Amino acid sequence: MDLARLTMDQIKGFTCALCGTRLYADRPLGTFTATEGLCTEPTELWACAPTCSALPPR
Ligand SMILES: [Zn+2]
């Protein structure tokens, strides 16, 4: 997971880190740390629960 490619909403857990859908039920993906850029602190990411039901945005 490359934090530099995620949106701020995804990093903050407002939207799914995998597909970008706004989260209503979520599951933890684990903690990720970027080696460069704005998000060099360990960041916990979230995704749709139980699985992503929407296709990734184009
Ligand atoms: Zn998702």
Side-chain angles (χ1 to χ4, degrees), residues 3 6-15 39 43-45:
L3 289 179
L6 299 180
T7 68
M8 196 54 67
D9 279 352
Q10 287 173 310
I11 290 166
K12 290 183 178 298
F14 296 139
T15 59
C39 301
T43 302
E44 188 160 26
L45 295 180

Side-chain angles (χ1 to χ4, degrees), residues 1 5 10 22 27 30 32 37 40 43-44 51-53:
M1 188 64 68
R5 299 182 62 177
Q10 287 173 310
R22 181 161 291 276
R27 60 189 161 100
F32 299 85
T40 52
T43 302
E44 188 160 26
T51 60
C52 291
S53 57

